[in-house]
Amino acid sequence: YNIAESDLGEISPASETMKLASLGMRGVAATLLWNKAHTYKVMHEWDRLKATLNNIALLQPHFDKVWEHQAHNLAYNVSTEFDDYRQRYEMVREGTEFLTRGVRQNTNAPRLVWYTGWFYGQKLGMSDEKVQFRRLFSDDELLHDALLVEDIAVDSPEARGPLGKPDNWLVGRLWLNHGYEIVDSGVKIRRQTPLNFYETGPKWRIKHAESIESEGILDERAQNAWQMADDDWLGFGTRSIPTTSPFTIKLNQLEDLEAQRDEKIEDFRLLNEEAFAAARQARIDTLPAAIKEYWQKPESEMTPEQRQLMPSIMKGLVPDLATLAKTSDDSVRLESVNIAGQVKDLNERIQKTIGYRTQINYPYWKTLAQAEQEERTVTARRLIYEAEQANKNAELDKAIELYEQAFVIWAEIFDDYPLLTIDDTAEDLFNSVRRYMVAIDSQEIPEDFPLATFVSLMGEFGQVDARMYETVRQESKLAAEQRRIELEEEEKKRQIEADKLDAPKGDPTPKGSASEK
């Protein structure tokens, strides 16, 4: 059954000896040790705590929670007891090394591998001391050597940040990729949803790009980081994700599924034109008067709220195909029933895909990665960064000029990517606008201010209005697609111009020359 010690992971003679020495009382011994570990933590007896954790691991080496819980205890609870951030980092490092031992002894535990990758990203990259922790990790050569032993290629470009040193987010991603390889080989995911399991690796690429930008890397290196993040996120979108239903889904396949469903509905309509038209008209007749006033209007004449409601209204006008199929003409009844079943299956897949996309806000991260890799976005962030530095140094004229340059670019970005107005960094931008207003000694923004709509959207307390949020989310899909098409056209034009420049100028040899003959 592949549950021998050699099948589960690295054999530990000490662990086997300790199990035998407990004389069948391993559960009692483990319980006592867990209690001791808590006591030593409360008493701040760190050496005894670590020794007790080692004993627990020896008694319960294949219980994932031992490694997860105690690593978390060291890195999150014990580390906070120290004042110096270097000492706190050492306890975080103890936690990562404890997890690594657990991975060695549980080679078929993808959840434990995932937790290790999550640990390197979340604890080192999102804690209050993240600036110091990221720097200490990038210089921690002893830890890097230990990771190389575990086949985590910290010396590869995949793990190194823009300064040429290992980056905690990228190293965490390598751990996560190792977990994905284990699952792809046939090992089942336990105690975790596949959606969350597969999301984290691509998300760490995004977090890496965000981190280096916040640290002042605002040039082509940041642009390249976002391009790789976009590639990872799209790769995640094309992965088959197991669901609670008897089928898998692909998060990036929603548009394809909707197109297939619409095509099937049209096929059904052509087979049953009169019955379909009558059933649809009956649904139209039951529409509320307020909706009837605008549902047939051109989209350009609708309000944002009306445009937001239109997809659900149009969906509600599709008749019940299964019921219509039962009354179809004998010559097309079998085909109608078959198509109705296919539409039902597609609707189930669409609803499941929408639900899973919503859980992790898939469209938002996709749009963010697409927008951030553009040169103008990196430029806008660099200008804001430089403006803030000038403001801190009391160089007000320089700060005002940089702010104004950045705000013009940000207005263009928001026009093309409305979804970014609800980005986490939107509040930072709003605060930059406030500091700009202080710098120009004004209580009100100028009439021609490029970000006037954005400032109004943020509201009095810097919060996005919930209803506007929904409107922006719906509009972002159309805007992002339009922007993608524009970028493709621009790329085609550049390629055509490049081909013209590279084209041969023609043979200058005159006719009748010796070389021609």
Side-chain angles (χ1 to χ4, degrees):
Y1 294 100
N2 298 319
I3 57 174
E5 206 58 35
S6 58
D7 296 317
L8 296 175
E10 181 182 275
I11 295 177
S12 172
S15 178
E16 291 304 294
T17 303
M18 195 166 180
K19 291 177 192 175
L20 291 171
S22 64
L23 301 176
M25 302 288 285
R26 186 170 54 145
V28 176
T31 302
L32 293 172
L33 287 171
W34 277 78
N35 187 58
K36 275 192 174 185
H38 175 71
T39 301
Y40 290 145
K41 186 189 79 170
V42 173
M43 296 174 65
H44 293 188
E45 296 188 21
W46 311 124
D47 289 338
R48 290 186 176 184
L49 170 64
K50 286 189 281 187
T52 304
L53 297 183
N54 287 334
N55 287 335
I56 293 173
L58 292 173
L59 275 176
Q60 300 177 297
H62 305 303
F63 179 28
D64 293 2
K65 272 295 181 182
V66 168
W67 305 101
E68 292 181 17
H69 179 83
Q70 298 301 358
H72 184 278
N73 195 19
L74 287 168
Y76 285 82
N77 300 327
V78 176
S79 67
T80 59
E81 301 293 338
F82 296 91
D83 295 328
D84 193 307
Y85 70 85
R86 288 178 288 266
Q87 291 176 306
R88 292 199 290 271
Y89 173 77
E90 286 301 317
M91 295 312 300
V92 173
R93 182 181 175 188
E94 291 273 0
T96 61
E97 291 176 342
F98 192 76
L99 277 174
T100 303
R101 282 179 51 203
V103 171
R104 282 202 301 270
Q105 292 193 243
N106 297 274
T107 54
N108 291 328
R111 158 73 189 186
L112 194 56
V113 180
W114 176 90
Y115 192 74
T116 306
W118 180 86
F119 213 84
Y120 273 91
Q122 204 276 344
K123 182 56 186 175
L124 294 175
M126 298 181 71
S127 61
D128 293 338
E129 312 91 339
K130 60 185 177 184
V131 175
Q132 294 87 353
F133 281 1
R134 277 174 52 78
R135 186 180 70 249
L136 288 171
F137 173 79
S138 67
D139 294 329
D140 194 343
E141 294 183 1
L142 288 176
L143 180 55
H144 302 162
D145 291 340
L147 288 168
L148 285 171
V149 174
E150 304 299 329
D151 292 329
I152 302 300
V154 294
D155 56 349
S156 71
E158 288 289 301
R160 294 186 177 271
L163 301 181
K165 295 181 178 181
D167 184 278
N168 69 290
W169 292 110
L170 299 181
V171 170
R173 173 180 170 272
L174 292 181
W175 274 107
L176 293 161
N177 286 345
H178 177 47
Y180 301 156
E181 291 170 1
I182 293 175
V183 174
D184 291 342
S185 70
V187 179
K188 292 183 178 180
I189 302 171
R190 294 183 296 110
R191 298 193 299 110
Q192 190 172 15
T193 64
L195 183 66
N196 178 247
F197 181 79
Y198 286 119
E199 171 206 13
T200 313
K203 182 70 70 64
W204 272 196
R205 272 281 199 197
I206 294 174
K207 292 298 182 183
H208 162 70
E210 290 179 337
S211 294
I212 65 174
E213 284 190 329
S214 68
E215 293 164 355
I217 305 296
L218 293 159
D219 50 28
E220 65 276 0
R221 292 173 293 177
Q223 196 173 351
N224 183 58
W226 279 109
Q227 288 171 352
M228 291 188 291
D230 185 43
D231 291 341
D232 269 24
W233 196 251
L234 290 178
F236 168 51
T238 57
R239 178 185 282 276
S240 293
I241 305 294
T243 68
T244 52
S245 299
F247 52 77
T248 63
I249 62 169
K250 294 181 179 180
L251 298 176
N252 210 35
Q253 202 179 34
L254 179 61
E255 291 78 9
D256 292 339
L257 290 174
E258 291 175 335
Q260 292 177 37
R261 179 191 61 188
D262 294 343
E263 183 179 342
K264 293 296 180 183
I265 291 174
E266 179 62 16
D267 291 343
F268 186 96
R269 187 190 69 80
L270 293 175
L271 290 174
N272 305 271
E273 290 191 64
E274 292 185 7
F276 189 96
R280 187 172 187 274
Q281 186 59 48
R283 290 183 175 236
I284 292 173
D285 293 340
T286 61
L287 286 175
I291 294 178
K292 281 184 179 180
E293 288 182 7
Y294 70 81
W295 79 274
Q296 287 182 318
K297 285 183 180 179
E299 188 173 338
S300 58
E301 297 179 13
M302 296 181 187
T303 65
E305 290 77 9
Q306 291 171 347
R307 284 197 297 270
Q308 183 181 335
L309 289 172
M310 280 307 297
S312 59
I313 293 173
M314 298 304 294
K315 182 181 176 182
L317 296 181
V318 176
D320 184 346
L321 302 188
T323 301
L324 287 181
K326 294 176 182 179
T327 59
S328 297
D329 187 85
D330 291 345
S331 60
V332 297
R333 184 175 300 164
L334 182 59
E335 187 176 357
S336 297
V337 170
N338 185 34
I339 293 176
Q342 293 176 30
V343 171
K344 179 182 178 183
D345 178 68
L346 286 168
N347 276 328
E348 290 175 357
R349 292 175 182 272
I350 288 169
Q351 290 306 311
K352 187 66 68 173
T353 303
I354 291 174
Y356 275 48
R357 282 164 61 103
T358 302
Q359 282 184 45
I360 60 170
N361 211 350
Y362 179 84
Y364 164 75
W365 295 107
K366 180 181 177 181
T367 302
L368 179 68
Q370 289 175 346
E372 292 286 355
Q373 64 184 285
E374 291 190 26
E375 184 178 354
R376 62 176 178 173
T377 310
V378 176
T379 300
R381 293 199 182 281
R382 177 176 54 78
L383 289 170
I384 287 291
Y385 181 84
E386 292 174 353
E388 296 292 352
Q389 295 300 314
N391 200 6
K392 287 180 182 178
N393 297 329
E395 301 175 72
L396 293 185
D397 290 340
K398 180 181 178 181
I400 291 170
E401 182 181 356
L402 291 169
Y403 277 134
E404 290 176 347
Q405 292 177 28
F407 294 156
V408 170
I409 301 175
W410 273 116
E412 296 174 359
I413 294 170
F414 287 162
D415 285 344
D416 293 330
Y417 299 102
L419 195 63
L420 293 190
T421 58
I422 60 167
D423 181 29
D424 290 341
T425 58
E427 186 173 351
D428 294 334
L429 181 61
F430 185 65
N431 290 331
S432 293
V433 173
R434 286 175 167 171
R435 285 188 282 273
Y436 165 76
M437 293 169 64
V438 172
I440 64 174
D441 193 22
S442 173
Q443 296 280 334
E444 302 290 337
I445 60 173
E447 292 183 4
D448 58 346
F449 188 64
L451 289 175
T453 303
F454 167 72
V455 174
S456 175
L457 180 69
M458 290 298 289
E460 183 179 355
F461 301 103
Q463 299 290 326
V464 176
D465 179 78
R467 186 170 59 180
M468 184 61 71
Y469 169 89
E470 291 298 326
T471 301
V472 169
R473 190 168 66 172
Q474 292 294 329
E475 291 179 342
S476 65
K477 179 180 176 181
L478 295 174
E481 179 62 19
Q482 181 61 35
R483 182 60 182 166
R484 184 187 65 78
I485 294 172
E486 290 174 1
L487 290 173
E488 288 180 354
E489 291 299 323
E490 291 174 8
E491 180 62 28
K492 288 179 181 177
K493 290 178 182 178
R494 284 194 293 268
Q495 187 61 46
I496 291 172
E497 292 299 323
D499 291 343
K500 288 180 180 179
L501 292 175
D502 294 338
K505 303 297 184 181
D507 190 349
T509 307
K511 291 183 179 180
S513 65
S515 61
E516 183 178 329
K517 292 175 182 177

